[in-house]
Amino acid sequence: MRIGAVSDSHDNVSAIRKAGEELRRRGVSLVLHAGDWVSPFSARFLREALGEGVRIVGVWGNNEGERPYFLETARRFGVEIAGEAAELEVAGRRLALYHGTSSILLRALVESGLYDVVVYGHTHQAVIERRGKTLVVNPGELCGCLSGRSTYAVIDLDKLEVNLLFL
């Protein structure tokens, strides 16, 4: 099973649409958004690009404003916002999703040994590494605003492998 991982989209509608369309073409069944969506319309554009058959689960970043309206908009478009962090079981794998604003909490998730995959964002830098049995993935910044590169990832849960993609 393949899933998508994005973070730090920061309202870049063009990047959200392009990444969503490519993830749909690659046959992902779930997309994880590790926060810093920024405004509610980002959830709508991701849903439109992915279509109805792909589950979207996201968490808050440190730049979301208007959270009550964001939740209302996300629900309307079938986007699940889990709050500050999420735990999921998908295809027999345990996943954690967190924006990454606290290095202490991020380290605890990674080093706990509870998760097969930990997805985070916040740093705007792509990271793919193994820590013990845990695959740690920061898909970088979808917005491309700090590094000049719009990146996101596809994770193969069967093989626990990651492809970093560039727009």
Side-chain angles (χ1 to χ4, degrees), residues 61-118:
N62 58 301
N63 281 293
E64 272 74 58
E66 198 60 45
R67 287 184 178 187
Y69 180 63
F70 195 115
L71 284 174
E72 178 185 320
T73 302
R75 281 189 202 108
R76 190 169 358 131
F77 290 99
V79 174
E80 302 169 43
I81 303 296
E84 298 298 323
E87 289 183 314
L88 300 97
E89 188 161 328
V90 180
R93 302 287 190 180
R94 292 195 38 88
L95 313 176
L97 177 63
Y98 174 57
H99 184 58
T101 48
S102 167
S103 60
I104 295 167
L105 295 178
L106 178 60
R107 188 173 65 246
L109 287 171
V110 170
E111 294 179 4
S112 71
L114 295 173
Y115 306 102
D116 298 297
V117 180
V118 173

Side-chain angles (χ1 to χ4, degrees), residues 40-73:
F41 64 77
S42 292
R44 184 184 107 207
F45 290 125
L46 183 57
R47 165 55 66 215
E48 289 172 354
L50 288 167
E52 292 301 317
V54 177
R55 182 180 179 197
I56 304 170
V57 177
V59 294
W60 297 129
N62 58 301
N63 281 293
E64 272 74 58
E66 198 60 45
R67 287 184 178 187
Y69 180 63
F70 195 115
L71 284 174
E72 178 185 320
T73 302

Side-chain angles (χ1 to χ4, degrees), residues 17-18 38-39 84 91 104 107 118 120 122 129-130 140 157:
R17 284 182 169 149
K18 287 177 185 174
V38 180
S39 64
E84 298 298 323
I104 295 167
R107 188 173 65 246
V118 173
Y120 73 102
H122 186 58
E129 62 184 358
R130 287 202 185 270
L157 291 179

